[in-house]
Structure formats: structure tokens, C-alpha cells
Amino acid sequence: MVRILVPLRQTVDANVVVRALPDGSGVDAQGAALVINPFDEIALEAALQQKEQGRAVEVVVASIGPAEVERALRTALAMGADRALLVRTQAQALPAAPVAAALLAALARREDAGLVLMGKQAIDDDLGMTAQMLAARLGWPQAMFAASLQLEDDSAVVVCEHDVGTRTLRLPLPCVVAADLRLAEPRFVSLANVMKARRKPLEVLDVAQVAELAGEALPAVAEPLRLLRVAEVRQRRQQQMLPDADALVRQLHQQGLWPQEES
Amino acid sequence: MGVEMAQAGATLLVAPADLVASVREPAVLRREVAQMLAAAHRFGQPVDIALLAGDVADARDRAEVLARLPGVRRIWLLVDARLGQWLAEPCAAALQALVVAEGHVRIIGHDSMAHRDVLGRLAGLLQAPALSDVVAVEAPEVVRRPMHAGAIVADVRIEALPVVLLVRGAAFAGAAAALLAEADDAGHEGHDAAGAEIVVLDPMPDLPVPVKLEDVMASGRDDAMPDLARARIVLGMGRGAATEPARSLLMQLARRLGAAVAATRAVVDEGLAPGDWQVGQTGKRIAPQLYVAFGISGAHQHVAGIADARVIVAVNRDADAPIFKVADFGIVADVETVLRDMLMQLPSRAEDKPE
Ligand SMILES: Cc1cc2nc3c(=O)[nH]c(=O)nc-3n(C[C@H](O)[C@H](O)[C@H](O)COP(=O)(O)OP(=O)(O)OC[C@H]3O[C@@H](n4cnc5c(N)ncnc54)[C@H](O)[C@@H]3O)c2cc1C
């Protein structure tokens, strides 16, 4: 039976519409509630379900970032993860995807994970690249956009959403599976479990230590992509209210967006 | 960082995955590649195209369609039975071999799920950074992309090469149209003989195929419905329009207009529409001429997927629904009434009697 590693990212709550800092140097997340990235939370739920069904021995969560990300890990422990790893960075910013992938690869090897289950994308940068990069680094097969997961003795059967329809993949273990929205529905955390989670093991590591431990070279450029400036997006639309469908059809007609009368 | 990075080096454009049936149509393939090409040209470097295919004849057919697009140096055919299914492991390995041998420094794909899968893995193999959903190239080293469900747009400086860029096709549609017109003009005047060189990558590297594709399920859409990502008119089905009788009326209107149907996450989660109908931050980002949102509240995660539509119409019975803030035209009414009225406005046809 496998040990499942679930990498987590802490993000701003999905209900918050973030603003740009006045000088455009970044995103203003001051005071916004921080949560586990929703896709990672789904991945964690799916991992916990595998363990509860007796198909995994242990669920280990891991996060990379400043000390604050411990909160996300504690929440994950309260949801039911067995232990947590925190790779602490000096910088406030979360690491670039290639760096995160290298560090997670080192952790996956150290933990002898049979499956890495993670979110397909983080809802802050909306990048959606880390799972694939991690799989490539490990040389493990990957299943993106997972909508269902079935673990067998030495393989995983994953139904993946796709541009059109779905595809069912059978992957040998170890492998990387990236969760889409419908893989699982995250459970609520009870207060009792929050208390229990305080006593679960949470190991703090630093970046150099992790890189060294599996002989993973970190990318030569730590910040291969630099955020130059950000701005808020304003939709400029007419916002013209119409009384009924007849008025709408007249408008669409004018715009060439309604079928012309056939004779 | 401050160090000036050399920006020279060819760009490799990866032709769209032909898993979507309509991509097989020459006109669609040409248009989609032209969109990526328009982005690629912004870097001012030679552009090659990589075509992945399961067999040679198929690859050649598609290469011929693309060879006369302006500003293409070479078309690389990556042909192997193991590439036909667009599995990430063999496809990324084949592309890696090409990129390493030819020294491409930018790899450009479409921001589709197939390309996220394959080119994300390629970035990992190359230990290169990658950016999804690129909507503009501001300078050879600066690209623009949305974040936070489209609430924020960011300019990102590329500090390391090679880099993988997945572009939002619609954002380059204008420039692409100009490229296509240029190709057509050259064709009419008969001086297009040259075209891009077509080269078969030989030998192919060893391709790993650890994963078995056990099943492929088509979407729950009927064949007559146009591809959502490419449709001219899209009708959006929100929770307020996902149950009968509104649902049937909406589907009927879509058929009559030749429109595709999109859905919100809420509707897909409830099993009332297939997953590939979802539009938004974590679904498809579409750019039709017309999007009509029926019974959709207008959560920013949904709006992120429709922001590029030319005209947005919202129909919702709640006058305070946020969708009206991002619409060109709005009607505060019950969706059923509006759908029936719109159907009445269409020239009637025998096979589509309202239920
Ligand atoms: C991580 C994350 C990712 C997400 N990604 C996406 C995404 O990609 N795409 C997406 O769409 N959503 C996404 N969401 C969900 C999003 O936040 C909203 O929950 C969802 O878009 C709401 O769908 P809806 O508008 O159909 O439903 P609701 O919000 O329930 O709105 C229904 C609307 O219908 C109206 N209505 C009801 N009955 C009628 C009637 N008879 N006539 C007229 N109007 C009526 C109501 O007034 C209401 O405004 C995501 C959420 C999260 C947390």
C-alpha cells in the first residue's frame, strides 16, 4: 500500500476579489482570509478517502513558503492528514513553479511516496503547471484534470477531464495525479479535530536542506519569471437594460448576431 | 536581477492537439496556428512548427495546410504511433528531443488542456519556467496574463530561457486574421511557391509509454453542436436555466442558432451538464461573438471565462445579480419567458415545434 504525498499551497479565499497594490508592484492580500488552495483541498480529500478505504497507509501533506503557511498545514491535519512537512522560505513570496517542483520532487523521494496527489492549479496565479513539472522531474507518469481515482495494487486508474469529453488512464505507481473540481468534495473540519491536529507531527525543513537531501539541483535561476506590474481589470460594458426578448432580438439583429429572415 | 539576457533563439510552436474533431478541419487548424504564430512573431525570431502525429500521411496533410502561413521557417513532423493519443510522457519526450537538438528557446502552445498536459511536462523536462494563459506579448521578454480569476492582469518578465508559453488564441485573433489574409493574397498572386520547409524528425528518440489509455468518452454534446471553444454564438446555462422546462428551451434555441452551450461550475457539479461545458477560471476561456448568460449569477470565476466575448447578454430574474455589471445588454426576467419569446422570433421550422 502506498503513502500519498499531498502538496498544498495557501491562497487567498476564493470568495475574495483581490485588488492591485496602488503602485502596481503586486497583489494586495492584506487582511484577506487565507485558505488551502481549493484544488489542493480536493486532492487532500481524495487522498484521505483512499486511506479510509484501506488503499493507502499514510497521507502526508507538504507546503513551501513562509512560516504562515503552517496554518494551511494545520487545517490539513485537522481534515485528517497524518503528518505535515513545512519547507520554510525566507521570502514572503511563494517559490516559482520550477523551484517548487524541484523541492517537492525531493520530498516525494524522501517520503518514498507511491502517489503524489495535488491540485491542477492554484487560484492565485492560475498557473496550472506545477504538477506536470513535478512529474517530469521525478520521471513519473502523470494524470491531469482528474475527475475520479481508483487505486489498485500497482496502478492508478484515473478518469481525466479533457478539452472534449474524458479520458481514462491507467498509470503504474508511483505517479502524479492532479485534481480537478469534481474529484472529491472536501469535508468540514470539526473543532475536536482542530484540537487533535495540534498534536500531530509537523516537521519544519529549510530549502537548502531539502534540496540536498535527494540530490535535487535547484534551477539556476530562482526567479525565472518576475512580476513586473499588476493592474486590476475592469470590464467595460454597456450595461444597457432591455425590457424584453423583442428588444433584445432587435439589438442582436443590428449587430448581425441574429439569423436573417429566410424567404 | 538586472542582467540582460540574450533573447535570440528560435521559437517552436506546437500545433494544436487534434483530439478535438474540429481541429482536423484545415480552416480551423490554420486559424488556430495563425493565432499562435501571431504571438510567436512578436518575439522577432525565426519560428518553427512541431506537428505531432501517429502516422506520416496524416502529419503531411496537416503540414501542407500550414506550410504557406507567413513567417514559418520549418515544419517539423514528429511521427510515431505512440504520439497519436496525445499522452504526455511520449509527446513531451519527443518535443524535448527536438528542442534540445535545435536549440529552440521559446516553446509556444495553445492554452488547451491537451497542451497544458504535454507542454507542462515538457517544461519540467527542460527545467524551464512556463506561463499559461498568455494574452499579450508586450516586449520580447515581457508577456501579459491574467491571475486571480481574471481580477488582475500581470506583466511578467521572462528571466530564463528556454520558456514554455501557452497562449490564449482569442487574444491574438486580430493579428491572426491579418496573417491569414496575407497568406491568401500571396496564394492568389501565385508567388507563394516557397513556403516552409517540411522536415521529418529522424531518428525519433526512445519514447516512454508508461500510461495506458483505457477509454475515451466523447462529450455529452450532440454532433451538430459546434465546438464550444470555437463557436460564434454561445448560450450559457446557469443554475437558473439548468432544469426543465428552461433547459429544453435553451437547448432548442442553441440548435436553432447553431450555438454551443456552456455551463457554470454549479450546473456541472450537479451533474446537469458535462465537465467540458464548464466555462470560467478553471474551465474554458471562450471568445464568441455573442454570449448569452441564462440564469447565471456572474461569479468572478465564471466571468473570467467570458471576458473576451464581443457582446455579452444577461438574463436573470434578480436585478442585483452581478452578471448585469459585465453585460452589454440585460433583461430582468424569468429565463423561461425570455427563451420562449426568443424562439418565437425565429423563423419557424417544422422539426422544432416547441414542447
Ligand atoms: C476554486 C473555484 C473555481 C471555480 N471555477 C468556476 C468556473 O470555472 N466556472 C464557473 O462557472 N464557476 C466556477 N466556480 C463557481 C462560482 O464561484 C459560482 O459558484 C458559479 O459560477 C455559480 O453558478 P450559477 O451562476 O449557475 O449559480 P448561482 O450562483 O446559483 O446563480 C443562479 C442564478 O440564476 C438566477 N435564476 C434562478 N432561477 C431563475 C429563473 N427562473 N429565471 C432567471 N434567473 C434565474 C438567480 O437569480 C441566480 O443569479 C468556481 C468556484 C471555486 C471556489
Side-chain angles (χ1 to χ4, degrees), chain B residues 238-240 264-265 278-279 282 295 297 301-302 316-317 334-335:
Chain B
R239 196 137 56 175
T264 61
R265 174 195 175 177
Q278 185 178 313
V279 159
T282 58
S297 59
Q301 289 96 347
H302 184 75
N316 196 306
R317 65 181 174 198
D334 191 274
V335 291

Side-chain angles (χ1 to χ4, degrees), chain B residues 9 50 60 62 64 75 105 110 135 140 143 163 179 184 203-204 271 284 303 318:
Chain B
R60 287 238 175 247
R62 282 189 286 151
E64 299 295 341
I75 300 185
V105 298
H110 241 194
V135 296
V143 299
V163 64
L179 284 176
D184 292 343
M204 279 298 269
K284 290 188 169 66
V303 173
D318 173 6

Side-chain angles (χ1 to χ4, degrees), chain B residues 115 162 191 267 295 328:
Chain B
H115 273 181
H191 50 62
V267 168
D328 296 288

Side-chain angles (χ1 to χ4, degrees), chain B residues 165-178:
Chain B
L165 302 171
L166 301 186
V167 304
R168 188 191 290 196
F172 296 91

Side-chain angles (χ1 to χ4, degrees), chain B residues 30-39 110 134-135 167-181 287-289 308:
Chain B
R30 243 175 121 242
R31 192 178 65 226
E32 304 247 315
V33 170
Q35 292 168 352
M36 285 188 272
L37 196 54
H110 241 194
V134 170
V135 296
V167 304
R168 188 191 290 196
F172 296 91
L179 284 176
L180 292 173
Q289 290 295 305
D308 288 338

Side-chain angles (χ1 to χ4, degrees), chain A residues 14 17-20 27 39 98 120-121 123-127 129 132-133 135-137 140-142 144-145 161-172 181-182 221 223-233 235 237-246 248-249 251-252 255-259 261, chain B residues 19 85-86 88-89 112-114 116-117 120-121 124-125 127-132 145 147-157 159-160 166 210-217 232 257 265 268-269 276 278 281-282 284 289 300-301 307 309-310 312 324-332 341-342 345-346:
Chain A
V17 178
V18 298
R19 320 217 46 172
V27 171
F39 288 95
K120 71 162 182 176
Q121 103 188 46
I123 61 158
D124 47 11
D125 65 13
D126 282 334
L127 194 65
M129 291 289 164
Q132 306 90 307
M133 287 180 176
R137 272 209 84 117
W140 296 0
Q142 72 192 42
M144 294 299 298
F145 321 117
E161 303 209 7
H162 219 273
D163 294 306
V164 170
T166 59
R167 312 211 293 171
T168 305
L169 305 181
R170 178 180 289 275
L171 302 88
L181 286 169
R182 284 162 281 276
V221 182
E223 285 302 320
L225 302 167
R226 194 153 54 85
L227 204 59
L228 281 186
R229 67 189 85 81
V230 305
E232 282 159 30
V233 177
Q235 281 270 332
R237 298 278 178 183
Q238 272 173 270
Q239 299 184 35
Q240 185 182 340
M241 298 311 284
L242 303 172
D244 53 25
D246 292 8
L248 174 62
V249 166
Q251 285 288 349
L252 296 180
Q255 312 247 358
L257 293 168
W258 193 257
E261 205 67 54
Chain B
L19 293 170
Q85 296 175 323
W86 280 94
E89 296 79 10
S112 63
M113 290 163 98
R116 280 193 181 210
D117 188 15
R121 189 174 180 93
L125 293 176
Q127 302 204 11
L131 286 171
S132 57
R145 62 184 297 277
M147 307 193 316
H148 289 276
I152 296 284
V153 62
D155 285 348
V156 180
R157 194 185 150 89
E159 308 252 341
L166 301 186
V211 174
K212 192 162 160 266
L213 180 60
E214 297 209 320
D215 192 21
V216 177
M217 279 246 298
R232 204 173 94 87
L257 290 173
R265 174 195 175 177
V268 178
D269 279 1
D276 59 6
Q278 185 178 313
Q281 176 191 24
T282 58
K284 290 188 169 66
Q289 290 295 305
H300 61 282
Q301 289 96 347
R310 181 163 79 82
I312 296 180
F324 290 122
K325 293 265 184 308
V326 297
D328 296 288
F329 302 108
I331 305 177
V332 179
D341 288 351
M342 287 177 84
Q345 298 273 336
L346 285 164

